[in-house]
């Protein structure tokens, strides 16, 4: 058989494979546009299933879904997650609005939900230092930690490809020192393997805005070994009002302006 005939058969096979893939993709998108919006009709059943799997009580005001391209997008409003199945227990998460775009193919491959993008509105985060100098991050679904709470919380964030926090508040609580508080925060974290980028805009207590851009590598997702570059846009302010006096005394600084 001549090479031209082999080449012709190879091209015919590739064309047939491409056409089949396009037809399957079109069928998937068409079915998704028909059935995905119906998920909102099964809100109660879905919430009950998740409560059974997690052992936690969940309140959800509304659930809606739609297709954006080839990816389903879920809209959750009024999401509240409790520590245990009893609603008298503390609230772990209390969010006004959650938008989750699901990567269906990656989810099937990894056999677990994989978010292409996740947007949370109204999240309250707190970084807390204990007496041993260890830091914990509360506000991401846990109230107690065995000492590596910050590591576990950051791992949850790094598992997402893109996470956006809107109208967020951040409190930094050093041990036995005054808190730092930032409000009206908009933050976007993009993760690409070991490379990460954070864009943030936060308001000081006097409502002046701080802008931050942070990017670099975290080998093994260990923030202690981070190789980072950052840019900060600071408003004209007397920072002595926002920096705890104890830290200023340790640095032998009497006044800070930036």
């Amino acid at each position: 058989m001549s090479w031209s005939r082999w080449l012709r058969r190879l091209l015919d096979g590739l064309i047939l494979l491409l056409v089949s893939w396009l037809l399957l993709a079109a069928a998937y998108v068409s079915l998704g546009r028909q059935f995905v919006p119906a998920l909102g009709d099964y809100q109660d059943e879905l919430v009950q299933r998740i409560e059974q799997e997690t052992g936690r009580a969940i309140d959800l005001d509304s659930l809606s879904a739609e297709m954006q391209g080839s990816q389903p997008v879920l809209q959750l409003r009024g999401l509240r997650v409790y520590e245990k199945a009893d609603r008298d227990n503390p609230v772990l998460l209390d969010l006004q609005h959650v938008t989750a775009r699901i990567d269906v193919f990656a989810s099937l491959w990894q056999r677990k939900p994989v978010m292409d993008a996740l947007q949370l509105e109204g999240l309250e985060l707190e970084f807390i230092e204990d007496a041993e100098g260890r830091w914990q991050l509360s506000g991401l679904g846990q109230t107690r930690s065995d000492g590596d709470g910050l590591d576990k919380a950051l791992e949850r964030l790094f598992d997402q490809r893109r996470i956006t926090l809107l109208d967020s508040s951040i409190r930094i609580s050093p041990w036995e020192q005054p808190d730092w508080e930032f409000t009206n925060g908009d933050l976007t974290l993009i993760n690409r393997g070991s490379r990460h980028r954070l864009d943030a805009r936060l308001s000081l207590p006097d409502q002046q805005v701080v802008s931050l851009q942070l990017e670099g590598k975290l080998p093994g997702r260990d923030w202690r070994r981070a190789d980072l570059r950052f840019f900060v846009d600071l408003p004209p302010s007397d920072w002595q009002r926002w920096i705890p006096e104890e830290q200023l005394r340790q640095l032998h600084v009497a006044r800070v302006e930036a």
Side-chain angles (χ1 to χ4, degrees):
M1 184 179 294
S2 64
W3 283 104
S4 59
R5 186 173 301 176
W6 275 107
L7 182 59
R8 188 180 302 111
R9 288 191 175 184
L10 177 60
L11 292 176
D12 291 342
L14 291 176
I15 293 173
L16 180 61
L17 182 62
L18 178 60
V19 171
S20 300
W21 181 85
L22 291 175
L23 290 175
L24 288 174
Y28 159 74
V29 173
S30 178
L31 291 173
R33 289 177 178 176
Q34 293 183 27
F35 292 107
V36 167
L39 287 176
D41 299 334
Y42 299 92
Q43 173 179 327
D44 294 338
E45 291 81 354
L46 292 173
V47 170
Q48 291 176 5
R49 179 66 179 274
I50 296 175
E51 286 180 332
Q52 293 174 359
E53 292 183 354
T54 61
R56 292 171 174 170
I58 298 175
D59 293 334
L60 180 61
D61 291 344
S62 66
L63 168 66
S64 60
E66 63 178 353
M67 288 291 290
Q68 290 185 1
S70 62
Q71 296 175 328
V73 177
L74 305 181
Q75 302 275 351
L76 296 84
R77 297 185 180 275
L79 175 63
R80 178 173 293 181
V81 181
Y82 295 84
E83 184 179 9
K84 296 181 180 179
D86 188 351
R87 285 176 170 78
D88 293 332
N89 284 273
V91 176
L92 296 182
L93 285 175
D94 190 357
L95 299 172
Q96 306 168 12
H97 188 193
V98 178
T99 302
R101 189 168 66 221
I102 303 173
D103 189 328
V104 175
F105 301 106
S107 299
L108 293 174
W109 179 261
Q110 299 184 24
R111 298 182 180 180
K112 65 177 182 179
V114 177
M115 303 297 174
D116 182 64
L118 183 63
Q119 180 174 293
L120 308 178
E121 186 174 342
L123 184 64
E124 296 183 359
L125 298 175
E126 185 171 8
F127 294 85
I128 306 171
E129 184 185 23
D130 60 20
E132 287 74 30
R134 297 175 301 188
W135 287 86
Q136 301 177 15
L137 174 58
S138 65
L140 287 176
Q142 63 179 20
T143 57
R144 296 183 299 272
S145 174
D146 55 4
D148 56 353
L150 180 59
D151 294 333
K152 291 182 178 179
L154 291 178
E155 185 176 352
R156 294 177 183 173
L157 294 177
F158 295 149
D159 281 340
Q160 310 299 327
R161 297 178 182 176
R162 181 187 183 97
I163 181 169
T164 300
L165 307 181
L166 301 178
D167 192 21
S168 303
S169 63
I170 299 176
R171 181 192 302 268
I172 303 176
S173 301
W175 175 253
E176 294 185 342
Q177 296 185 28
D179 296 342
W180 296 14
E181 294 187 20
F182 300 91
T183 58
N184 303 321
D186 294 339
L187 303 91
T188 299
L189 175 65
I190 301 174
N191 302 304
R192 295 290 184 269
S194 63
R195 300 192 65 87
H196 309 273
R197 172 171 171 171
L198 174 66
D199 295 307
R201 287 175 58 84
L202 303 166
S203 296
L204 292 170
D206 61 357
Q207 300 307 309
Q208 295 194 82
V209 177
V210 176
S211 298
L212 169 69
Q213 184 179 98
L214 184 70
E215 61 179 335
K217 294 182 179 180
L218 274 68
R221 294 186 176 182
D222 185 356
W223 59 273
R224 301 172 186 82
R225 300 164 53 200
D227 179 13
L228 302 174
R229 300 181 301 275
F230 69 91
F231 169 81
V232 181
D233 184 7
L234 300 174
S237 179
D238 181 4
W239 286 80
Q240 186 177 0
R241 294 184 298 171
W242 319 128
I243 300 178
E245 294 183 2
E246 179 62 26
Q247 294 190 5
L248 291 176
R249 284 195 294 268
Q250 292 176 359
L251 296 172
H252 303 289
V253 174
R255 183 176 181 84
V256 177
E257 294 184 1

